[in-house]
Amino acid sequence: MPHTPSRRAVLRGVAITGAVVMGFDTGTRSWATTASGSGSGSGLARVPALDGTLVMDDASLSAASDDYGHIVHRRPVAVLRPGSVRDVVAMVRFCNTHRLPVAPRGQGHATNGQAQVEGGLVVETATLADIGPVGPHSTTVTVGAGARWSEVAEAALAHGLTPPVFTDYLELSVGGTLSVGGFGGMTHRHGAQVDNVTGLQVVTGAGEFTDCSPTRHPDLFHAVLAGLGQCAIVVGATLRLVRAPETVRHYLLPYDDLETFLDDQRLLVQEERFAYVEGQVSADADGVFRVLTLEAAAYGPPAGPAPDDAVLLRGLRHDPAGVERTDRPYYDFLDRIAPSVEALKKAGLWTYAHPWLNLLLPGRAAAAVTGDLLDALTPGDVGPGIVLVYPVLRERLTTPLLRTPDDPVPYLFAVLRTTPPEDTATVDRLLAANRSAYEAAAAVGGTQYPVGSIPFTRADWRTHFGSAWPRLAAAKRSYDPCGILVPGQGVF
Ligand SMILES: Cc1cc2nc3c(=O)[nH]c(=O)nc-3n(C[C@H](O)[C@H](O)[C@H](O)COP(=O)(O)OP(=O)(O)OC[C@H]3O[C@@H](n4cnc5c(N)ncnc54)[C@H](O)[C@@H]3O)c2cc1C
């Protein structure tokens, strides 16, 4: 991103709401307003008229300088709350003209400054959240990029339908998860969320509104899904829908041996015995990470047969004495972590630092690598966070930019660390531990799932994208020729 004198001049002169031009007085270092029409005469760069608002107040800029990681802070000069897609087009063009960096921000749940932009424009997509229409026979629904998955689920469920894949936490934006991938316990059946998109409406880095799909501008479509916001801002997405179950039978199955646990998980996803398979590892009373819980869910009618314990649990090697089984409505199952989130918020832990580690390991090395990483882990390294391990099926993951190990059954391994943000020495130590873990994973053909906080160089990104790099780089040149989009990812 060129940091030119002209860019500085624009930063001093950003402006506007309606007929009033706002300008920045460099002498007093404060914002001032002038009547519309006098902007150009006063040397201020005139911002286009908007349907929504462009805000520059301290609270909005501070909020946009933070995220769920609470580690990285980059301050934009303005935040756009678009009233329309036209606003996004107009402001991206404005930013192109003046070489201002831009980042869309959904719910700000990235952990490493990915949606932040120093001295640029943050586009908050929350105002672009229309959903629908959906009817009982819909096979897709088109939603605004700022819609949260909880809202999409509720709208679809009103007609007995559902997107096939959800993340564990539903309050993430559609645009935010489609820019990274979107994994969940259903991924072994249906791929990631990006694999269940039939069309996208985007504003490219050059400020062009474009509809794209696997057959319409496919290069753009494939550069946007899991493309970390590098080529375009998603403003709308058409998502696949399937029949939803009314109820779900949810199991927690305890294991005491890592290899047995991983093998049973693999068996379940290869057999597709359950609709959903995940797993957690927690520390025992001695602080050793060896309490293993396989989490599985079977969908009942009309999405599946009435669940039968004997059939579902046949041959599994968990401790039968510790099985927890609940039948619950489908939405309650999807939203199952909501009570824990509320408790974390109440306890003030939601605003702790989250130097997360998210890896994808080749199945052939999963036991060895997770074994080593878990052996080295202490309760202090995780805090009130959790450790997740679960397999996916590679044949279901078809999005080129969602990089996964070359193995039929990769495992997602995530250490969702939670630690006081003011203890920067610990945060730095955990970031360094993330890097070491990434290197151990990469040495056996693993990748990172890029939602966490692993120190990563541009060269690492090239390695990460591997054979997909030339196409991503070409799409970047075509669709974001001035290189203004999403510098916080550090890819280009
Ligand atoms: C509590 C919690 C639980 C999670 N659980 C899961 C899980 O189960 N599975 C999983 O896969 N992930 C999970 N994640 C990770 C999450 O999917 C990603 O961090 C996701 O990007 C966050 O969405 P967001 O709306 O907050 O995006 P933001 O943090 O706002 O943005 C993330 C990145 O996407 C870009 N972006 C945002 N909107 C757009 C857009 N409209 N167009 C183009 N680029 C855009 C941003 O510029 C930024 O680079 C979880 C995160 C949290 C905090």
Side-chain angles (χ1 to χ4, degrees):
M1 169 56 49
H3 188 80
T4 59
S6 68
R7 177 177 161 208
R8 271 283 155 235
V10 173
L11 301 191
R12 285 187 273 113
V14 155
I16 225 165
T17 46
V20 176
V21 176
M22 262 167 55
F24 191 63
D25 182 325
T26 50
T28 60
R29 300 205 59 74
S30 62
W31 291 97
T33 55
T34 65
S36 175
S38 61
S40 53
S42 64
L44 300 182
R46 290 280 307 276
V47 174
L50 300 170
D51 299 321
T53 54
L54 188 71
V55 295
M56 292 150 239
D57 60 283
D58 183 57
S60 302
L61 299 186
S62 297
S65 320
D66 195 10
D67 57 29
Y68 187 73
H70 307 297
I71 298 168
V72 173
H73 301 286
R74 301 190 189 103
R75 198 170 169 87
V77 288
V79 171
L80 173 67
R81 303 202 171 117
S84 61
V85 169
R86 199 169 47 223
D87 283 357
V88 180
V89 169
M91 283 309 299
V92 171
R93 289 184 181 176
F94 176 87
C95 289
N96 258 286
T97 303
H98 302 292
R99 300 290 194 276
L100 280 166
V102 180
R105 173 186 170 99
Q107 289 295 312
H109 280 72
T111 61
N112 201 28
Q114 290 94 329
Q116 297 179 31
V117 53
E118 184 70 42
L121 177 72
V122 166
V123 178
E124 287 183 355
T125 60
T127 49
L128 302 175
D130 287 350
I131 296 178
V134 200
H137 304 294
S138 299
T139 55
T140 60
V141 60
T142 297
V143 306
R148 286 174 285 125
W149 285 97
S150 57
E151 297 167 325
V152 179
E154 281 172 15
L157 276 173
H159 300 279
L161 300 169
T162 179
V165 183
F166 286 91
T167 49
D168 297 337
Y169 181 51
L170 299 183
E171 308 310 327
L172 306 167
S173 77
V174 168
T177 70
L178 295 187
S179 80
V180 293
F183 283 108
M186 310 80 168
T187 292
H188 73 278
R189 287 270 191 126
H190 299 283
Q193 288 177 325
V194 281
D195 299 308
N196 291 280
V197 178
T198 61
L200 291 172
Q201 298 83 52
V202 305
V203 175
T204 67
E208 297 298 327
F209 174 78
T210 310
D211 258 311
C212 57
S213 72
T215 53
R216 237 178 116 105
H217 305 295
D219 61 327
L220 180 57
F221 183 74
H222 295 302
V224 172
L225 290 174
L228 308 179
Q230 296 304 302
C231 296
I233 297 176
V234 177
V235 290
T238 304
L239 309 173
R240 208 160 73 78
L241 295 177
V242 295
R243 181 100 0 243
E246 277 174 13
T247 57
V248 165
R249 181 161 295 177
H250 182 248
Y251 297 90
L252 295 174
L253 310 175
Y255 284 75
D256 56 15
D257 176 70
L258 181 64
E259 281 199 34
T260 311
F261 168 77
L262 297 174
D263 284 350
D264 275 5
Q265 282 188 318
R266 176 199 298 264
L267 173 89
L268 292 184
V269 302
Q270 286 181 322
E271 281 189 352
E272 301 193 356
R273 206 188 285 190
F274 286 93
Y276 165 105
V277 175
E278 289 200 6
Q280 292 107 41
V281 190
S282 41
D284 64 10
D286 298 325
V288 181
F289 279 82
R290 61 184 165 206
V291 178
L292 305 156
T293 307
L294 194 156
E295 186 185 19
Y299 290 176
D308 176 340
D309 292 345
V311 172
L312 290 166
L313 302 184
R314 190 189 53 230
L316 297 181
R317 290 166 289 169
H318 57 278
D319 172 5
V323 173
E324 286 180 40
R325 192 196 83 172
T326 38
D327 289 325
R328 40 168 78 180
Y330 177 60
Y331 188 83
D332 287 5
F333 160 71
L334 293 179
D335 204 27
R336 65 200 170 280
I337 72 165
S340 314
V341 170
E342 272 321 298
L344 288 169
K345 285 184 177 171
K346 255 199 190 132
L349 299 171
W350 201 247
T351 51
Y352 265 33
H354 296 103
W356 281 8
L357 171 69
N358 300 73
L359 299 172
L360 285 159
L361 304 170
R364 60 181 175 278
V369 178
T370 53
D372 288 349
L373 293 175
L374 291 171
D375 284 350
L377 206 60
T378 69
D381 296 340
V382 184
I386 55 168
V387 178
L388 297 177
V389 190
Y390 61 89
V392 294
L393 286 188
R394 196 171 193 229
E395 68 192 68
R396 303 283 149 82
L397 299 165
T398 56
T399 298
L401 293 183
L402 182 55
R403 307 309 291 169
T404 53
D406 185 8
D407 188 288
V409 190
Y411 280 71
L412 186 112
F413 176 76
V415 183
L416 306 182
R417 310 176 191 275
T418 303
T419 190
E422 61 279 4
D423 182 359
T424 53
T426 298
V427 170
D428 288 346
R429 181 177 66 74
L430 296 175
L431 292 173
N434 286 353
R435 177 70 203 188
S436 303
Y438 164 73
E439 284 171 9
V444 295
T447 60
Q448 73 147 317
Y449 174 45
V451 298
S453 304
I454 298 173
F456 231 52
T457 65
R458 283 180 172 70
D460 291 327
W461 281 117
R462 272 180 178 245
T463 306
H464 173 85
F465 284 110
S467 60
W469 175 260
R471 282 197 181 168
L472 176 62
K476 180 76 173 174
R477 285 192 295 275
S478 302
Y479 295 108
D480 182 22
C482 297
I484 62 170
L485 281 184
V486 189
Q489 292 280 6
V491 177
F492 288 97

